[in-house]
Amino acid sequence: MIQKISEYKFLFGELVKRDFILKYKRTVLGLFWSVLSPLMTLTIQIMVFNTFFGSDIPHYTIFLFSGNLVYTYFSEATQSGLVAMAANAPIFAKVKAPKYLFVFSRNISSLINFGLTFLIFLLFVFFDHIPFTHNFFLLIYVIACMLLFNCGMSLILSTAYMFFRDLSYLYNVLVLILMYVSAIFYSVDAFSPIIQRLFLLNPLYVYIKYFRLIVIDAVIPSVQYHLLMLFYSLAALLIGTLLYKKLNHKFLYYI
């Protein structure tokens, strides 16, 4: 895949540019929506949940923002990736090019949006008087893991969507459920140790917790925790690659 992406790097770059431009086409605020939308969501959630959970959680705004940051990136990347190949079927039906390029280009476009929001997140960290330490450089690791995980999940979803169009409706429900089981606006400390360990079965929660440990708690997670994140990322990418490789030759019969 890396070799193919390098071979088609011009096409890949144009796809990323196209996806990014189309997202804000004919909007008044354009690019500012990538920052304004998560801030509006954050404001509403603070108004709703601060009374119930905020008093017991230090730096609750950053706590909530970090959860939203990871969740929104995952949701946007996978939901846009899900329809990527089906939406571009008229192109790859006529042009010889790897079909997964359309999936990965959507993910890179989502990564750019994530990067813009991440800069705002760092501003919030500064204004909340949380000291910046060298540990913050480890956030590069979790972002890389999230990129691989999102690409893998997008490849799985996009491949399945070529055969089962009902998946888009089911996935919207699944993403909503994930928001509530990923401890975005509440802490898992109130649960028993067994339940807390069960949360680690959710990759999204694992990435969110890493952000909070580094930024809020100024703690570097264990080596095992780093390996767990890498495992989820590589497992999703491997499954997505194998599924795509097995089924991509059948796509033309379903467009």
Side-chain angles (χ1 to χ4, degrees), residues 12-150:
F12 185 68
E14 291 300 309
L15 288 173
V16 172
K17 188 188 302 181
R18 183 204 64 176
D19 293 337
F20 192 74
I21 291 174
L22 284 178
K23 182 174 181 178
Y24 302 108
K25 187 177 181 181
R26 295 180 182 175
T27 60
V28 176
L29 297 179
L31 184 62
F32 288 104
W33 277 116
S34 63
V35 174
L36 185 59
S37 181
L39 289 180
M40 291 171 65
T41 302
L42 178 66
T43 302
I44 294 172
Q45 289 185 339
I46 289 175
M47 293 170 61
V48 174
F49 299 119
N50 188 54
T51 304
F52 300 100
F53 307 105
S55 59
D56 300 325
I57 301 175
H59 303 287
Y60 185 68
T61 298
I62 303 302
F63 179 92
L64 187 57
F65 201 162
S66 57
N68 276 326
L69 185 68
V70 175
Y71 171 78
T72 302
Y73 175 35
F74 169 80
S75 176
E76 179 186 331
T78 54
Q79 287 186 312
S80 63
L82 183 147
V83 299
M85 286 196 287
N88 290 281
I91 298 178
F92 67 68
K94 299 176 183 178
V95 179
K96 183 181 178 182
K99 305 173 188 68
Y100 55 78
L101 288 181
F102 301 101
V103 177
F104 291 165
S105 69
R106 294 285 181 94
N107 273 262
I108 296 301
S109 177
S110 297
L111 179 64
I112 295 172
N113 285 327
F114 167 82
L116 294 172
T117 310
F118 180 70
L119 294 177
I120 302 301
F121 171 74
L122 293 179
L123 283 177
F124 271 68
V125 170
F126 174 78
F127 287 120
D128 205 15
H129 305 291
I130 297 177
F132 287 84
T133 67
H134 62 279
N135 293 347
F136 276 51
F137 287 106
L138 288 173
L139 294 177
I140 297 174
Y141 177 78
V142 67
I143 293 171
C145 286
M146 287 193 304
L147 174 62
L148 294 178
F149 180 75
N150 289 346

Side-chain angles (χ1 to χ4, degrees), residues 75-87 103 106-107 153-162 164-172 175:
S75 176
E76 179 186 331
T78 54
Q79 287 186 312
S80 63
L82 183 147
V83 299
M85 286 196 287
V103 177
R106 294 285 181 94
N107 273 262
M153 288 301 300
S154 296
L155 205 52
I156 294 170
L157 292 167
S158 191
T159 300
Y161 183 70
M162 292 298 296
F164 307 105
R165 299 304 168 94
D166 292 342
L167 182 62
S168 61
Y169 302 101
L170 293 173
Y171 190 65
N172 286 336
V175 167

